[in-house]
Every structure is written in C-alpha cells, then in structure tokens.
Amino acid sequence: MKILLIGATGMVGSRIAAEAVNRGHTVTGVTRSGASGTQAAAADDASAVAALAEGKDAVVLAVAPPRDGSEPSAPLIAAGQGVLDGARKAGVRRVVIVGGAGSLEVAPGVRLVDTPGFPEMYKNEALAQGALLEFVRENAGDLSWTYISPAAEIAPGTRTGSYRVGGDELLSDDDGNSFISAEDYAVALVDELEKGTSIGRRIGVAN
C-alpha cells in the first residue's frame, strides 16, 4: 500500500510511519518544514496535498492543532478541509484521521472533555479535535474515511500488538484507567488501513 502520511514526525505520526514500513507499505511522510527527509507541505493546502497524494492508496492526517495559545479549531478544520479536498483532487478515496479522545462519551450525551476533571490545559485542543470530527462527518460522505480516537491517555510505550476497539464511548479498564501506547495506536491505525472495517465512522482504541 502507498500511504501519504501528513504529520509524519510527531509522536503518533512517527510510530505510524514505522509500523507501516515494517509491514512492507510505502510511506511518503509530509511535514510543514520538510524536516527529517519528509516532503514539505501544509495540510491546509489542498493543491499541495493533491500533488503528493497522486498515485497513493490512502492519506493519513496526523497533525495536532496549534499549541501556541491561539484558537485551535479553525486551523485544524482547515487542515481537515485541505486533506479532504486534496484527496479528492488526486482521486484517493481512503482517508484516515488521527483524532482525539475528548469527544468520546463517558455517559450518554456526556463527552470526556465536558467532565469536571478534564485538564484545562488540554481542553481547547480536545474541543478542536471534536470540531474536526463533526466537520469530517458532515463533509466526507463521498470518501472512505475513518477517524480514530485514542484512549484518554496516549503516550510512548510498548508495542504489544493488542488493543480493543470501540465506537463513540470511551474505553477503560475495570479500574477506570483509559490508556493506549502510541505504538499500539499505530498498530490499530495500520490494521484499519489494511482491513477497512470501520469505513465512514469514528472508532476508539485502547489497551
């Protein structure tokens, strides 16, 4: 499989790249700066995305919203728009998005981001990721998209190759812990690229 990976050097993106390459896929990494051997392009530039996506089988968006104190929703949605439009222009239907956990529900109609204990420093980012999910749901019906939310906590760790898959509900263990290693998140994402079992919906993954 030929994969265009936008955001290839981040914590999650770098692990997706490694997992995909280890399985024999061809990954074209993209970053805004073109660092570390990646192609230079901005995710919100549909024409640049289209040029790089030409001939690829899938586009993966793995970028975080701005963390400089500015309002993060508009730039993240612009990145989503650029990727969707770029994929369309290149004739690529498969789009997978690295999402956030804040929009997962902890009870019917209650999102994780809306709970009293949600860390304030991550709230705007979580709301931006939730806005991107709604944007994709409303605007990507013509594409084979999947939005993959991690557990409440995702961090570098061990690749076990084992994970659980859910829908819009937050996955946690019997002690209430919700975690996935970035390595196992990458396993789940590449599995979804290969199998395509969750087209047109959001899934959550956790250890």
Side-chain angles (χ1 to χ4, degrees), residues 17-148:
E19 179 70 25
V21 169
N22 285 342
R23 298 196 199 185
H25 301 298
T26 300
V27 176
T28 300
V30 180
T31 60
R32 186 177 289 272
S33 66
S36 302
T38 61
Q39 299 294 313
D44 60 4
D45 185 340
S47 295
V49 172
L52 291 169
E54 191 72 35
K56 304 298 189 297
D57 300 299
V59 178
V60 176
L61 177 63
V63 301
R67 293 167 175 165
D68 57 4
S70 62
E71 198 289 314
S73 294
L76 189 60
I77 290 173
Q81 179 79 72
V83 166
L84 297 183
D85 287 346
R88 290 185 182 104
K89 288 181 179 181
V92 179
R93 296 195 68 248
R94 189 67 169 119
V95 176
V96 177
I97 297 167
V98 174
S103 58
L104 291 166
E105 293 187 348
V106 297
V110 180
R111 301 179 303 174
L112 178 63
V113 69
D114 299 323
T115 58
F118 193 87
E120 191 66 31
M121 66 183 295
Y122 298 123
K123 193 163 189 177
N124 285 342
E125 182 172 338
L127 291 171
Q129 286 284 10
L132 175 61
L133 172 60
E134 292 310 311
F135 177 82
V136 171
R137 282 173 166 164
E138 293 171 4
N139 294 278
D142 60 319
L143 298 171
S144 297
W145 66 271
T146 306
Y147 179 107
I148 305 180

Side-chain angles (χ1 to χ4, degrees), residues 171-186:
L171 294 172
S172 57
D173 63 19
D174 292 340
D175 296 321
N177 300 311
S178 179
F179 176 82
I180 190 165
S181 69
E183 289 78 4
D184 280 339
Y185 179 95

